[in-house]
Amino acid sequence: MLNNTWSEYLTIRLVILFLHSLAPLCTVYTLTLLRRAFFARRFSQPVFTTPFQLYCAAETTFFAFTLWYRGRLQREAVHPPLRSKEDRKKLFDKVRSEIHDPQKFLQGWFRGAKIEEIGREDLREFLSWAFFEARTDDESEGELEALVGKVEKMMGSSFKPGKGGAKSLRLTLDPIEIQWRSLLWYGIIMLVDTIVHVRFLVYGFGYRSTRGGSLSVFPPRPLPAVTMAVGKRSPAEGISYWVKRHTSTTRLPVVYIHGIGVGLHPYVEFLHEVDRATNHGHDAKDQVGIICIEVLQISSRLTHSMLTRADFLAQTTKILNHEQGYNRFVLISHSYGSVFSTHMLTDDTMSKRVAATLLVDPVTMILHMPDVAYNFTIRKPTTANEWQLWYFASKDPGVAHTLGRHFFWSENILWRDRIAHLVENGIRVTASLARRDLIVDTEAVGAYLMEKKVLDPVVVKEGNGKTKMELSVNEKDGREDEDWKVRKWKGKGLEVLWWDDLDHAQVFDNKDDRRKLVEVVREYCTNE
């Protein structure tokens, strides 16, 4: 993630301007050539004769496809099965128990609107999405009305009838907003993907491709296609991965799941350093294995839709059963990868296989609060890192579709009492949090994990129209009690690694910072 300097700000704005303007400019040029050919009646001769003209024609064709594809992404989400009435009540009661000020909570989910701008019908629509995935029927109307009444009781007043002027955040229902990508951009992604593939092969990893391989992904993946032809296939039909064979009988292997971005490029050195730290000096019969799962839907690619929670768990189980020695393992994830970690940790069968977990920049804690959804999808960018997040992550077609049609908050949230249950059953948990994180309010997450009370979402409005969603912590507990930030890491129970000078994902940029994460992984692998 970029720092907030003027040079980086100007650079990212110029890069975005170039990439975003390229396809429209090529389209204008191509249409001009076609217009000239039409009026000159020269269609018997080639219209595009130079490499540059051919390139512009290709960009124009892809731009037209992108505009069509943007409309296709708007199709309705396929929601998970509805919870039972009893489970919905438990979920509502759980959320209510985590809220101190319901007024600020609602204002956060309604994009900072004033309470008087929220009508009763607006509240019904929000609650219908939050607890029924907007699938209420005649039988559940009474239940929904009861929830509205409970909210009004929490508020101490009734909402005005009908609709107000406020609009709530409803990720899986709201229109998906994307920014088109040029062929040049996807060409860069293909180059980066090829470099990553070579680096992993040099570091001794093996690739396991799905049956569809590179044929179901754009841009094409030439090296994975070759590897698929001569190598082994993934036992899971929808998940490709990198693997180093596990042979140790005394130490645990590692499973890694990456976050949103350009794929595995930012993590190659980290995984290589984990490999060296755990295996240097050990013979071939005492090697710690590593599985690194690819999630192409959040890797600046065009491919099939994100797997459902059930499909992900089923296919990951196939992989773990297929590879030797993964009955117990150390789970590591970064950013959006914490969604998949949450799926594994909240599944009673899968969680029994997890001995310890390192969650780097996790986004699934306190997910019932609106700050992550707001900062990732609604906030208008003003700084270098915000523009980087906005264009290269939030508005990427695959990422936007994943968040807008496959991100179900109640399925992805990791409650603290679930973490406490896991720790009581022997799983060690470390959360790595960066103070300057532009997506997650890490101060609040750290306080939440260390049993301080997280309270209210607050839309912070600054000059030049800049807004950010933050959370506040109970004044009685106070943020001044921050000894958890400087506690020595011991490798026991639930712990936090705090990075005071880092932003989201920057812990992977520097070898000295990565070293601390590597030490955590080595300890978890060595001493169960």
Side-chain angles (χ1 to χ4, degrees):
M1 196 64 68
L2 294 175
N3 292 307
N4 295 322
T5 64
W6 271 106
S7 60
E8 288 173 305
Y9 174 80
L10 292 175
T11 299
I12 194 66
R13 292 304 307 272
L14 289 173
V15 168
I16 291 174
L17 178 64
F18 171 73
L19 291 175
H20 196 58
S21 302
L22 184 60
L25 289 175
C26 286
T27 300
V28 170
Y29 177 68
T30 301
L31 292 178
T32 300
L33 292 178
L34 290 172
R35 181 178 178 275
R36 288 177 180 174
F38 176 80
F39 284 107
R41 303 194 178 193
R42 295 169 55 187
F43 284 105
S44 60
Q45 301 176 1
V47 177
F48 310 109
T49 57
T50 68
F52 178 73
Q53 292 175 343
L54 290 170
Y55 167 74
C56 288
E59 282 284 10
T60 300
T61 304
F62 189 72
F63 183 50
F65 164 79
T66 301
L67 296 179
W68 168 83
Y69 188 70
R70 180 165 58 179
R72 186 173 181 270
L73 293 180
Q74 305 301 327
R75 293 186 298 181
E76 292 184 4
V78 179
H79 290 82
L82 277 174
R83 286 178 166 80
S84 66
K85 183 176 181 179
E86 181 181 354
D87 287 341
R88 283 194 294 270
K89 181 181 182 301
K90 289 180 180 178
L91 180 60
F92 180 85
D93 291 341
K94 177 62 179 173
V95 173
R96 182 168 59 177
S97 70
E98 298 280 352
I99 300 172
H100 175 262
D101 190 328
Q103 177 171 318
K104 290 184 178 179
F105 174 82
L106 284 178
Q107 285 180 304
W109 277 109
F110 279 85
R111 310 174 188 232
K114 297 178 181 179
I115 287 298
E116 53 267 27
E117 296 174 335
I118 304 174
R120 205 170 193 274
E121 189 60 31
D122 299 321
L123 178 61
R124 283 175 58 88
E125 289 182 352
F126 170 70
L127 294 175
S128 175
W129 166 75
F131 297 99
F132 297 86
E133 286 93 28
R135 290 181 289 171
T136 53
D137 52 25
D138 292 339
E139 293 184 7
S140 55
E141 277 297 319
E143 184 184 348
L144 176 58
E145 185 64 27
L147 291 186
V148 173
K150 289 181 179 180
V151 173
E152 290 181 324
K153 186 177 180 180
M154 292 167 60
M155 295 288 295
S157 62
S158 298
F159 289 85
K160 63 181 180 182
K163 284 183 170 291
K167 182 181 179 182
S168 64
L169 268 169
R170 300 187 300 167
L171 284 183
T172 54
L173 299 179
D174 291 337
I176 297 173
E177 298 180 7
I178 72 168
Q179 298 293 322
W180 56 74
R181 299 291 189 265
S182 64
L183 276 178
L184 175 63
W185 168 248
Y186 285 116
I188 295 171
I189 293 297
M190 184 169 68
L191 176 61
V192 171
D193 184 59
T194 302
I195 293 172
V196 167
H197 203 90
V198 171
R199 291 171 69 194
F200 267 124
L201 292 176
V202 169
Y203 288 151
F205 285 77
Y207 186 64
R208 304 291 182 262
S209 175
T210 57
R211 292 191 178 276
S214 60
L215 299 178
S216 60
V217 181
F218 186 83
R221 312 182 72 196
L223 275 186
V226 173
T227 306
M228 179 183 66
V230 300
K232 298 180 180 179
R233 295 185 186 274
S234 168
E237 55 272 25
I239 300 178
S240 54
Y241 63 98
W242 289 93
V243 62
K244 277 211 117 180
R245 187 164 173 258
H246 182 73
T247 61
S248 179
T249 58
T250 59
R251 298 182 297 154
L252 297 174
V254 171
V255 174
Y256 183 78
I257 312 175
H258 65 86
I260 289 172
V262 293
L264 292 171
H265 171 67
Y267 313 104
V268 177
E269 284 306 312
F270 168 69
L271 292 169
H272 176 55
E273 288 162 8
V274 168
D275 179 36
R276 285 184 56 84
T278 53
N279 293 322
H280 183 69
H282 294 266
D283 61 36
K285 296 182 179 180
D286 188 27
Q287 294 289 298
V288 168
I290 300 174
I291 287 177
C292 180
I293 293 175
E294 281 190 325
V295 189
L296 296 178
Q297 294 84 354
I298 56 173
S299 301
S300 300
R301 319 293 166 87
L302 301 180
T303 185
H304 58 81
S305 297
M306 182 66 74
L307 295 176
T308 64
R309 178 181 185 272
D311 286 341
F312 171 78
L313 289 172
Q315 294 192 33
T316 302
T317 299
K318 285 184 180 180
I319 293 172
L320 296 175
N321 292 342
H322 177 77
E323 299 294 340
Q324 177 182 336
Y326 283 83
N327 291 327
R328 294 275 287 175
F329 58 88
V330 175
L331 176 63
I332 315 172
S333 63
H334 175 243
S335 190
Y336 193 92
S338 63
V339 170
F340 303 105
S341 291
T342 295
H343 293 169
M344 298 171 79
L345 294 171
T346 54
D347 180 76
D348 290 337
T349 300
M350 180 65 79
S351 63
K352 292 177 181 177
R353 304 176 74 160
V354 179
T357 182
L358 170 61
L359 307 170
V360 184
D361 301 328
V363 298
T364 58
M365 299 170 190
I366 327 179
L367 203 55
H368 60 293
M369 294 294 186
D371 61 312
V372 171
Y374 182 93
N375 290 334
F376 208 100
T377 64
I378 301 300
R379 177 181 54 195
K380 301 300 181 183
T382 59
T383 60
N385 58 348
E386 289 174 0
W387 277 104
Q388 181 186 10
L389 177 74
W390 180 82
Y391 186 79
F392 294 102
S394 301
K395 303 308 176 184
D396 173 82
V399 174
H401 185 252
T402 296
L403 292 173
R405 295 296 180 264
H406 296 275
F407 191 84
F408 307 109
W409 78 269
S410 58
E411 217 178 45
N412 297 340
I413 191 168
L414 184 58
W415 299 103
R416 193 196 182 284
D417 53 7
R418 176 63 183 183
I419 297 175
H421 172 76
L422 296 172
V423 171
E424 288 173 2
N425 284 273
I427 295 180
R428 294 180 287 171
V429 179
T430 295
S432 173
L433 306 174
R435 180 184 62 83
R436 294 171 46 222
D437 195 307
L438 78 165
I439 301 172
V440 181
D441 188 342
T442 49
E443 297 264 1
V445 171
Y448 177 74
L449 292 175
M450 296 297 104
E451 299 189 281
K452 308 299 179 184
K453 293 183 179 179
V454 174
L455 296 180
D456 316 317
V458 178
V459 178
V460 179
K461 296 184 178 182
E462 303 176 0
N464 300 321
K466 179 180 178 180
T467 62
K468 180 182 180 180
M469 184 77 71
E470 295 181 348
L471 302 175
S472 64
V473 177
N474 193 326
E475 294 178 359
K476 183 176 65 177
D477 294 317
R479 293 199 182 194
E480 69 278 0
D481 181 15
E482 297 178 339
D483 64 302
W484 53 269
K485 293 183 179 180
V486 294
R487 290 178 192 168
K488 183 178 180 180
W489 188 85
K490 298 179 180 179
K492 299 178 180 179
L494 171 60
E495 297 179 277
V496 169
L497 289 179
W498 182 256
W499 307 93
D500 201 56
D501 297 323
L502 298 183
D503 196 348
H504 196 88
Q506 285 186 338
V507 70
F508 292 104
D509 294 344
N510 183 278
K511 186 173 183 179
D512 290 336
D513 295 332
R514 293 196 303 267
R515 185 178 294 116
K516 182 60 179 177
L517 300 182
V518 171
E519 290 173 359
V520 171
V521 177
R522 181 172 57 183
E523 172 64 21
Y524 279 168
C525 291
T526 304
N527 299 306
E528 183 171 358

